Amino acid sequence: MTPAEAWARLRDGNGRFVRDEPAHPSQDAARRRELRTAQHPHTVLFGCSDSRVAAEIIFDQGLGDLFVVRTAGHVVDTTVLGSIEYGTEVLGTPLVVVLGHDSCGAVAATAHTLATGEQPPGFVRSVVDKVIPSVAELTSRQGVSGPIDPDVLRTEHVKHTVALLRGYSAALAVAVDAGRLAVVGVVYDLDDGSARLVAVD
C-alpha cells in the first residue's frame, strides 16, 4: 500500500464515521484468527491520549489496521520515536499520522502557563514543557502577542510535531525522502467528528 492509499482508507473511514454509517471492518473472529501470528497495519497513528479521540473508531478501522501510539498532547520522547520507527521500519507501514484535536487539555494547560506563569502540578508539567516550543515558534514567527486562538494553536502544535518526527528520526527522514513513507498532520473536530489534513511531509 502506498502512503496515498493508506490516507484514502483513513479518509473514507472517517467519512463513514461522520455520516454515522460505520462499517466496523475487520472486527470479527476470522480477522482475530488471521492476526494471531503477524500484523501488517497500514498506518502508524500518533495521537493524543484524550478518551474522546479513539483512532480506530473515528477512522472506522479494525483489528490490525492501525499501529497506535498515544501520549497526552501527542508529545514526543525517545520511546514514542522508537514506537513509531517500529511501525514504519519493522512493520512496514507507509503512513504516519499525527492526530491533534480541539479542546486538548495539554494545549490549554500550555496556553494557561504561558499567559499566567502558573505551572501545572506534578509530571503534567513535563507535558506542558514539550508543548511550549510549538507556541513559542508560532509567536516568534508571527509576532503574536496576547491570547492565541485555540484552533490556531492546536494546528500549529500538530505541524510542529510532524516536523519534529522527521527532524529527530533519521529513519523516518530517509523513508520520506525515498517516497515509501509520508508523515502527515491531521486535526480532529469533536463536534462533527471530522478529521482534516493540515500538514504533509
Side-chain angles (χ1 to χ4, degrees):
M1 190 178 297
T2 66
E5 289 169 340
W7 170 245
R9 185 170 292 190
L10 291 179
R11 183 193 62 221
D12 292 347
N14 181 244
R16 294 191 299 271
F17 175 71
V18 169
R19 296 190 305 272
D20 198 21
E21 299 173 353
H24 302 297
S26 303
Q27 296 181 20
D28 57 9
R31 177 64 166 169
R32 189 177 67 238
R33 287 191 295 270
E34 179 186 340
L35 294 168
R36 280 181 300 186
T37 58
Q39 59 173 320
H40 303 284
H42 58 73
T43 299
V44 173
L45 194 296
F46 175 41
C48 181
S49 299
D50 195 294
S51 63
R52 300 165 293 181
V53 192
E56 287 89 351
I57 294 175
I58 69 172
F59 289 108
D60 194 27
Q61 300 297 296
L63 295 171
D65 291 333
L66 304 180
F67 189 79
V68 180
V69 182
R70 298 175 74 179
T71 61
H74 56 83
V75 298
V76 178
D77 61 18
T78 54
T79 304
V80 166
L81 289 170
S83 299
I84 293 172
E85 287 185 359
Y86 183 85
T88 59
E89 300 302 300
V90 178
L91 301 179
T93 59
L95 181 66
V96 175
V97 171
V98 176
L99 181 65
H101 64 94
D102 55 338
S103 300
C104 178
V107 171
T110 301
H112 178 77
T113 293
L114 291 172
T116 66
E118 297 175 7
Q119 295 285 353
F123 286 103
V124 176
R125 179 175 179 173
S126 67
V127 175
V128 167
D129 287 345
K130 289 182 179 293
V131 179
I132 283 176
S134 297
V135 184
E137 183 175 316
L138 174 64
T139 56
S140 64
R141 186 175 68 246
Q142 299 183 2
V144 176
S145 61
I148 301 173
D149 184 312
D151 187 58
V152 172
L153 185 51
R154 71 160 171 171
T155 300
E156 187 64 26
H157 183 44
V158 167
K159 291 179 177 178
H160 187 260
T161 304
V162 169
L164 268 182
L165 294 182
R166 182 182 171 107
Y168 283 173
S169 171
L172 296 182
V174 167
V176 169
D177 289 341
R180 60 184 172 84
L181 176 71
V183 181
V184 303
V186 174
V187 292
Y188 174 75
D189 289 312
L190 294 171
D191 183 46
D192 66 9
S194 63
R196 174 170 51 92
L197 195 66
V198 296
V200 178
D201 187 3

